[in-house]
Amino acid sequence: MAALWHTAEVVPLAFIFTFAIALAHAVLLGLPLFWVFRSKGWINITTCVVFGFAVGAVPDGIMTWPIQHAALYAKESVDGAPTIINGVITAAEWVSYVKPVIYCGSYGALGGLTFWIVLIWSGSSGKAAAAVDRSQACRV
């Protein structure tokens, strides 16, 4: 994030802003997903990466959905191609919409992978699996 700013004075503010957004995503979206998946015994690398991607991509996709502000894009263009023709969003607009969503999702997937690695290295995944096994044994 700091690389996007033109002056060095805003680097601390950009870092704090970026950290706050990442922390909010992790606590408000990622932690509840982890609790649900842990109770089901579904904690593995695939779920951490895929749902990490979703935690990163879905909020960005919702906030930048092009149909919400179609009037603002009516006279815009992407590389010379119009974004809306006769009220219909063009492929150029969809491509310009999807790129940042994938970008944010990729950071979420990286965060999910990092979470899984820390979980494995800390030995918590074995404890979680054992707790799930015990709870399922009590039901039988």
Side-chain angles (χ1 to χ4, degrees):
M1 179 87 180
L4 301 176
W5 297 97
H6 300 292
T7 62
E9 291 97 26
V10 296
V11 171
L13 181 63
F15 174 78
I16 291 169
F17 181 71
T18 305
F19 182 77
I21 289 175
L23 184 62
H25 277 85
V27 171
L28 298 176
L29 301 173
L31 193 57
L33 280 172
F34 171 71
W35 287 334
V36 169
F37 289 167
R38 186 177 71 177
S39 71
K40 302 281 187 189
W42 295 345
I43 299 297
N44 58 41
I45 190 170
T46 304
T47 57
C48 288
V49 171
V50 169
F51 285 95
F53 183 91
V55 164
V58 169
D60 181 59
I62 291 170
M63 296 299 291
T64 60
W65 186 250
I67 296 174
Q68 289 178 0
H69 309 289
L72 296 174
Y73 297 110
K75 297 189 183 214
E76 295 292 321
S77 65
V78 175
D79 295 329
T83 57
I84 296 178
I85 299 174
N86 296 329
V88 178
I89 296 174
T90 63
E93 173 61 23
W94 285 115
V95 168
S96 69
Y97 164 72
V98 168
K99 282 182 182 180
V101 172
I102 291 173
Y103 181 73
C104 291
S106 297
Y107 276 120
L110 183 62
L113 177 65
T114 304
F115 175 78
W116 181 77
I117 290 170
V118 169
L119 194 67
I120 295 301
W121 280 352
S122 70
S124 297
S125 65
K127 294 175 189 173
V132 169
D133 288 342
R134 281 193 304 262
S135 67
Q136 289 176 353
C138 293
R139 290 183 196 164
V140 177

